[in-house]
């Protein structure tokens, strides 16, 4: 589903791939060569710069900026801006390495 713009146009630039069951909200701008995988949702007035990867079942909140070359791992929730070339994962949209360290601590046996 691609919602038409309300305040500005909804724009999907060249060479961008969008999987099935993806919802793109109103006034979203998606740059060139982005990949958005199945069952993801992008809320209104969000901007994805060029070469952004959004893996499966990701939720992106409203009015977020995602920098060039960023990767958002599967089942993540993005609620704040992401700088260029960052890798984000987890329910709280943390840096991928920090999220993996946290998961390792939670799984340690005492």
């Amino acid at each position: 589903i691609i919602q038409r713009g309300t305040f500005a146009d909804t724009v999907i630039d060249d060479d961008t791939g969008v999987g099935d069951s993806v919802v793109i909200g109103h006034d979203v701008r998606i740059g060139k060569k982005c990949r958005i995988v199945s069952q993801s949702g992008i809320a209104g007035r969000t901007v994805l710069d060029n070469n952004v990867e959004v893996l499966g079942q990701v939720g992106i909140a409203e009015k977020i900026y995602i920098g060039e070359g960023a990767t958002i791992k599967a089942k993540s929730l993005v609620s704040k801006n992401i700088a260029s070339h960052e890798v984000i994962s987890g329910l709280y949209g943390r840096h991928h390495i920090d999220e993996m360290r946290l998961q390792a601590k939670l799984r340690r046996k005492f």
Side-chain angles (χ1 to χ4, degrees):
I1 297 171
I2 302 172
Q3 297 177 357
R4 67 178 176 183
T6 53
F7 302 110
D9 291 335
T10 299
V11 177
I12 300 174
D13 230 329
D14 297 334
D15 296 327
T16 291
V18 179
D20 61 331
S21 299
V22 173
V23 177
I24 299 173
H26 63 87
D27 305 332
V28 170
R29 277 190 88 74
I30 299 175
K32 295 179 182 179
K33 297 182 181 178
C34 293
R35 291 189 303 175
I36 304 169
V37 180
S38 301
Q39 298 180 347
S40 295
I42 303 171
R45 294 183 276 171
T46 295
V47 176
L48 278 68
D49 210 334
N50 299 328
N51 299 308
V52 172
E53 289 185 323
V54 178
L55 301 180
Q57 296 183 339
V58 167
I60 302 174
E62 189 174 18
K63 299 180 194 173
I64 300 294
Y65 174 79
I66 300 174
E68 183 173 357
T71 299
I72 304 168
K73 299 282 188 175
K75 295 191 176 186
S76 298
L77 173 63
V78 179
S79 60
K80 58 187 176 188
N81 293 339
I82 298 174
S84 296
H85 304 289
E86 285 193 60
V87 179
I88 301 298
S89 68
L91 180 61
Y92 299 105
R94 295 184 180 103
H95 293 278
H96 183 63
I97 291 174
D98 295 339
E99 180 67 19
M100 292 297 103
R101 286 183 182 141
L102 178 63
Q103 292 297 322
K105 285 180 184 179
L106 292 172
R107 292 181 180 168
R108 277 193 194 134
K109 294 182 180 179
F110 293 97

